């Protein structure tokens, strides 16, 4: 992995005040899922992914009844090769935190990445993800991204 | 006796086989077992790096027990397994880039050979009808063909390139030595030996332009006569293809496959496995935890064959289903393997 940061000066947004949701059933899981994602660190920057606008709450859809979660994320740079790593981190985090009944789809926000179809296909190919997670170097990188840093 | 599509069926769960400690990827029924007084044998392989052999306690009972655990050979996920046609050997393909060949010697299964060569994860392995050839495929985009020689020697006779992405499965035709592969590149390729030069080459590619799939093709299966093939995909459809079997069996490797039917609207998540039974029932296993069965419809109001849903078994497992395999002995037994680390044995019963 190249030591040079690909996106050295990200734009940092203020964390959005979370509105109180009134939809029964979904509300608790929406918050739960978002909080999990909150704890993720962008592999290149210590800010959380939400602060970097990689994930916003609207981009996490949860359907508890159907056991379905969809995460749409915006990589910080259009050609960001880290998009696959970020997507993988999201998948691992959700896998480790949600009950096994949940089906998770992770997509790059349309129009935000040069090869979004290719990235989406890889991120949602279960066999590719499983093989990637057997690679110790990749697992170390993912674990590092998922460890919250204490300021 | 009413035809299959006129009867009502239910899928009855006979047993849940537990033991694997990670998702079960693939299943294979031993073709030399399950009839003539020989108890049925099933092999399963898993993300826990092991292969388990399950055997019926007696030929007439439906209760399976774990007869053996094949471990300490693969150091990564075992993705696929296949018995030789004689039932004497089991090939196991792994993410560790090797394929192991096992034989039952006395009471134990021993690894008698290791096939190396792929650059990365091996996804599938298949024996041809006579057991003289073996094929493997990998994320390295290649398909390898191996010749089975005496003394457990396996010689690579061809490395087939052509797929532009990860190859998910290889399967030999049931009666002729023609090889099929399906891939993350959304295509199915047909490979055959060129009569003159003995070189293996791609004789046909089934892609989106010839009514093919629009996303990863995960699996393919032939009907008993080999004149039809069914494929399943991440595009949420299964497709049936047909060939002029007389032409194919007479040695014309260029006999081409054409699209017959697409079943869409039945699945809403990736279909990982499809298997055609000897009686003509197509089973699918998908990422929505359900098993679906399809049969050819006797409705001849459309051009060509059409298929209808015979039954849908929701929540067959608590997680994705990775493999469905009909028992070869025509007793309507179906095995399914899942991310939930279990294997289930089902019996298809007609309701009167």
């Amino acid at each position: 992995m190249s030591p040079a940061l690909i996106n050295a000066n990200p734009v940092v947004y203020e964390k959005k005040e979370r509105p109180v949701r009134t939809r029964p059933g979904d509300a608790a899981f929406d918050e739960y899922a978002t909080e999990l994602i909150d704890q993720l660190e962008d592999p290149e920057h210590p800010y959380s992914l939400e602060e970097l606008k990689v994930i916003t709450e609207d981009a996490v859809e949860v359907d508890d009844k159907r056991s379905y979660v969809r995460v749409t994320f915006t990589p910080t740079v259009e050609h960001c090769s880290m998009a696959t790593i970020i997507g993988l981190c999201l998948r691992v985090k959700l896998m480790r935190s949600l009950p096994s009944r949940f089906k998770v789809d992770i997509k790059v926000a349309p129009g935000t990445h040069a090869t979004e179809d290719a990235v989406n296909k890889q991120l949602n190919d279960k066999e590719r993800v499983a093989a990637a997670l057997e690679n110790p170097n990749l697992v170390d990188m993912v674990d590092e991204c998922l460890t919250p840093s204490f300021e | 006796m009413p035809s299959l599509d006129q009867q009502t069926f239910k899928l009855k769960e006979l047993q849940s086989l537990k033991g694997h400690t990670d998702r079960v990827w693939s299943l294979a029924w031993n073709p030399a077992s399950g009839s003539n007084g020989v108890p049925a044998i099933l092999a399963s392989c898993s993300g826990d790096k092991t292969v388990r052999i399950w055997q019926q306690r007696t030929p007439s009972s439906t209760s399976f027990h774990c007869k053996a655990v094949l471990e300490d050979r693969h150091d990564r996920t075992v993705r696929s397994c296949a018995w030789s046609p004689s039932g004497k050997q089991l090939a196991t393909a792994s993410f560790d880039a090797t394929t192991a060949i096992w034989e039952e010697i006395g009471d134990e299964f021993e690894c008698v050979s290791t096939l190396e060569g792929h650059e990365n994860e091996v996804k599938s392995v298949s024996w041809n009808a006579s057991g003289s050839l073996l094929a493997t495929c990998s994320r390295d985009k290649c398909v390898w063909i191996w010749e089975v020689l005496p003394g457990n020697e396996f010689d690579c006779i061809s490395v087939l390139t052509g797929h532009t992405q990860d190859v998910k499965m290889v399967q030999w035709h049931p009666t002729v030595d023609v090889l099929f592969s399906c891939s993350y590149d959304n295509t199915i390729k047909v490979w055959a030996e060129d009569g003159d030069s003995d070189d293996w080459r791609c004789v046909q590619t089934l892609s989106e332009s010839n009514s093919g799939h629009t996303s990863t093709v995960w699996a393919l299966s032939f009907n008993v006569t080999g004149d039809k093939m069914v494929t399943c995909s991440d595009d949420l459809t299964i497709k049936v293809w047909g060939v002029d079997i007389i032409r194919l069996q007479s040695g014309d490797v260029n006999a081409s496959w054409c699209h017959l039917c697409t079943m869409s609207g039945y699945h809403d998540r990736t279909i990982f496995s499809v298997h055609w039974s000897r009686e003509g029932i197509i089973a699918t296993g998908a990422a929505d935890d359900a098993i679906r069965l399809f049969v050819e419809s006797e409705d001849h109001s459309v051009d060509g064959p059409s298929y209808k849903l015979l039954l849908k078994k929701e929540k067959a497992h608590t997680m994705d289903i990775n493999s469905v395999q009909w028992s070869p002995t025509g007793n309507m037994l179906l095995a399914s393997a899942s991310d939930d680390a279990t294997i289930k044995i089902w019996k298809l019963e007609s309701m009167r």
Side-chain angles (χ1 to χ4, degrees):
Chain A
M1 239 203 68
S2 155
L5 293 179
I6 294 162
N7 185 18
N9 299 302
V11 179
V12 182
Y13 298 81
E14 248 185 60
K15 243 175 158 162
K16 192 166 90 160
E17 273 303 317
R18 230 156 275 139
V20 175
R21 299 257 174 147
T22 54
R23 273 173 294 156
D26 282 346
F29 279 99
D30 266 333
E31 259 195 50
Y32 182 50
T34 315
E35 268 161 35
L36 303 175
I37 287 155
D38 235 14
Q39 287 162 44
L40 279 172
E41 294 197 346
D42 186 334
E44 286 190 345
H45 302 283
Y47 303 104
S48 75
L49 285 170
E50 194 186 307
E51 283 161 343
L52 286 167
K53 210 89 172 156
V54 176
I55 316 269
T56 63
E57 201 172 275
D58 294 334
V60 180
E61 295 162 52
V62 179
D63 185 335
D64 187 27
K65 270 201 207 73
R66 289 210 199 118
S67 301
Y68 179 68
V69 173
R70 170 146 75 194
V71 180
T72 310
F73 72 100
T74 306
T76 35
V77 176
E78 205 187 287
H79 297 283
C80 181
S81 58
M82 297 303 288
T84 316
I85 305 278
I86 294 171
L88 198 59
C89 289
L90 288 168
R91 193 170 274 292
V92 172
K93 185 66 183 183
L94 289 167
M95 220 159 69
R96 288 177 183 168
S97 318
L98 289 175
S100 61
R101 65 183 166 94
F102 276 90
K103 306 294 180 189
V104 179
D105 284 341
I106 301 188
K107 303 255 160 106
V108 168
T112 63
H113 195 274
T115 58
E116 72 185 53
D117 286 345
V119 173
N120 287 340
K121 195 172 183 181
Q122 244 191 82
L123 287 177
N124 293 292
D125 180 315
K126 178 175 80 174
E127 187 187 61
R128 292 291 280 264
V129 170
L133 294 176
E134 285 186 353
N135 175 338
N137 294 329
L138 209 47
V139 176
D140 284 347
M141 205 190 301
V142 168
D143 280 338
E144 216 177 283
C145 293
L146 296 181
T147 312
S149 64
F150 297 96
E151 309 287 322
Chain B
M1 171 74 180
S3 61
L4 284 175
D5 76 324
Q6 309 262 302
Q7 298 178 52
T8 324
F9 288 90
K10 68 174 202 266
L11 203 57
K12 183 172 149 193
E13 181 180 329
L14 297 182
Q15 199 181 355
S16 176
L17 307 179
K18 299 181 167 83
H20 280 298
T21 55
D22 201 315
R23 60 171 32 123
V24 187
W25 278 112
S26 262
L27 295 170
W29 290 95
N30 183 310
S33 72
S35 55
N36 299 329
V38 180
I41 293 169
L42 180 68
S44 63
C45 57
S46 166
D48 67 11
K49 308 173 195 165
T50 75
V51 176
R52 280 176 180 253
I53 311 293
W54 311 85
Q55 189 175 291
Q56 260 180 337
R57 289 187 189 282
T58 69
S60 53
S61 101
T62 45
S63 179
F64 286 81
H65 75 283
C66 184
K67 176 177 157 172
V69 179
L70 280 45
E71 54 195 342
D72 299 327
R73 169 60 200 75
H74 288 299
D75 46 38
R76 287 186 58 181
T77 286
V78 189
R79 177 64 182 86
S80 165
C81 55
W83 294 95
S84 62
S86 67
K88 295 207 174 79
Q89 295 189 323
L90 179 71
T92 59
S94 168
F95 282 2
D96 67 12
T98 73
T99 302
I101 309 293
W102 306 78
E103 222 172 86
E104 195 174 4
I105 296 167
D107 268 340
E108 307 258 302
F109 275 84
E110 282 178 30
C111 174
V112 298
S113 192
T114 298
L115 278 46
E116 294 177 341
H118 280 295
E119 284 170 30
N120 48 50
E121 301 93 58
V122 188
K123 304 288 176 96
S124 173
V125 60
S126 175
W127 301 79
N128 71 342
S130 63
S132 62
L133 299 170
L134 197 63
T136 56
C137 65
S138 159
R139 178 168 64 85
D140 67 9
K141 308 176 188 132
C142 299
V143 171
W144 286 49
I145 299 184
W146 310 78
E147 196 175 11
V148 183
L149 300 168
N152 291 319
E153 286 275 314
F154 292 81
D155 257 12
C156 173
I157 59 170
S158 195
V159 174
L160 305 170
T161 55
H163 278 298
T164 56
Q165 294 274 4
D166 183 10
V167 190
K168 298 298 196 186
M169 190 199 217
V170 279
Q171 193 74 12
W172 287 96
H173 186 272
T175 60
V176 289
D177 283 345
V178 176
L179 182 65
F180 294 72
S181 60
C182 59
S183 165
Y184 184 101
D185 68 11
N186 309 349
T187 72
I188 296 131
K189 281 183 180 286
V190 186
W191 313 85
E193 210 169 357
D194 192 324
D196 300 332
S197 62
D198 281 352
D199 266 343
W200 286 83
R201 62 181 181 87
C202 177
V203 296
Q204 195 181 4
T205 299
L206 303 174
S207 63
E208 208 177 326
S209 55
N210 20 41
S211 307
H213 289 289
T214 54
S215 189
T216 300
V217 188
W218 280 97
L220 64 104
S221 175
F222 295 92
N223 66 349
V224 66
T225 46
D227 65 297
K228 293 200 187 72
M229 154 177 85
V230 61
T231 56
C232 66
S233 167
D234 177 63
D235 69 6
L236 314 182
T237 72
I238 64 175
K239 288 176 184 279
V240 178
W241 310 79
V243 76
D244 179 343
I245 192 67
I246 313 271
R247 245 185 98 187
L248 186 66
Q249 277 172 179
S250 73
D252 182 359
V253 297
N254 292 308
S256 58
W257 292 79
C258 62
H259 172 264
L260 294 178
C261 185
T262 293
M263 284 90 107
S264 61
Y266 296 97
H267 298 83
D268 43 32
R269 288 194 72 79
T270 305
I271 309 149
F272 287 117
S273 178
V274 66
H275 196 227
W276 214 323
S277 80
R278 300 186 66 83
E279 302 78 23
I281 305 173
I282 295 170
T284 64
D288 64 354
D289 317 346
I291 293 171
R292 290 170 178 78
L293 304 181
F294 296 85
V295 280
E296 192 164 330
S297 167
E298 296 295 309
D299 169 20
H300 294 295
S301 62
V302 294
D303 271 332
S306 71
Y307 295 81
K308 65 173 224 190
L309 182 72
L310 195 67
L311 77 80
K312 175 184 176 187
K313 184 80 183 180
E314 288 188 354
K315 297 194 175 58
H317 282 272
T318 57
M319 291 173 77
D320 290 10
I321 296 173
N322 299 315
S323 180
V324 284
Q325 288 287 297
W326 291 101
S327 154
T329 53
N331 49 8
M332 301 294 211
L333 279 189
L334 179 73
S336 60
S338 167
D339 276 359
D340 66 14
T342 73
I343 297 144
K344 288 195 180 188
I345 309 291
W346 309 85
K347 179 138 183 134
L348 184 64
E349 288 178 343
S350 181
M351 283 156 63
R352 291 246 135 254

